[in-house]
Amino acid sequence: MRARAATVGDLEALFRDLSKRISDEYAAAGKDSKIAYDNLMMNLKEGRAHALVQGEKTVAIIAWHENSDAADTLFAAQEDFFSAATVRFCKRHIRHIQALAGNLPIHSRSWLHRPDVAKWFRIIGYVERGQENGAKLFELPPAPAA
């Protein structure tokens, strides 16, 4: 797996075969796929979106937006994304995104409260920070100074 700057084509291809668990997550958050697509497109146009690629196929896009105290993530994926290998890759790559965001804490949310999601975030290094607007809030603390 590798990451690169996401393109409009990546986003379009991803949403043609969006994972059901991601669609369910959007619905639980009170958003539909069109709103999620538009939010990801905005971040893509601002240069804050990476395509996660297996072979030649884009299987996910992660985007981020900095605010005053953290960088918030947005995410979309196809079913092919969800595996142990991608979790290992994301553990490294999310730190790269964190560096691009000025080593701010990274905030990610889950509205479905699935145990596998919480486990995935823990493996990557996130800490659960409670509830926020109906979602579980996960935070990746800033990377230690080198």
Side-chain angles (χ1 to χ4, degrees):
M1 178 165 276
R2 63 186 172 87
R4 59 168 169 72
T7 66
V8 173
D10 292 326
L11 191 58
E12 290 171 353
L14 195 63
F15 272 78
R16 277 193 296 272
D17 189 23
L18 196 62
S19 165
K20 181 177 177 348
R21 66 178 95 188
I22 295 297
S23 295
D24 291 349
E25 184 83 25
Y26 295 159
K31 298 178 181 181
D32 63 20
S33 293
K34 173 71 172 119
I35 292 170
Y37 180 96
D38 290 346
N39 289 339
L40 284 162
M41 179 65 78
M42 181 182 67
N43 284 284
L44 187 150
K45 288 180 176 181
E46 293 173 351
R48 290 189 288 261
H50 287 168
L52 305 182
V53 181
Q54 273 181 328
E56 295 304 312
K57 181 182 178 188
T58 299
V59 294
I61 291 179
I62 185 166
W64 65 96
H65 190 85
E66 299 93 353
N67 60 46
S68 61
D69 63 344
D72 292 306
T73 62
L74 302 166
F75 184 73
Q78 294 179 339
E79 197 59 38
D80 294 351
F81 172 79
F82 299 100
S83 73
T86 57
V87 172
R88 288 189 297 273
F89 175 82
C90 287
K91 185 173 183 172
R92 291 186 311 275
H93 190 68
I94 197 71
R95 287 295 184 183
H96 175 69
I97 289 171
Q98 190 171 49
L100 293 172
N103 201 31
L104 288 170
I106 300 288
H107 285 173
S108 298
R109 292 159 185 81
S110 177
W111 281 263
L112 293 180
H113 309 296
R114 294 170 48 132
D116 57 334
V117 172
K119 178 181 174 186
W120 186 76
F121 279 121
R122 277 192 308 277
I123 290 168
I124 290 173
Y126 281 82
V127 176
E128 193 173 326
R129 294 289 187 215
Q131 299 283 318
E132 181 181 272
N133 299 324
K136 277 190 181 178
L137 174 65
F138 296 91
E139 180 179 277
L140 182 68

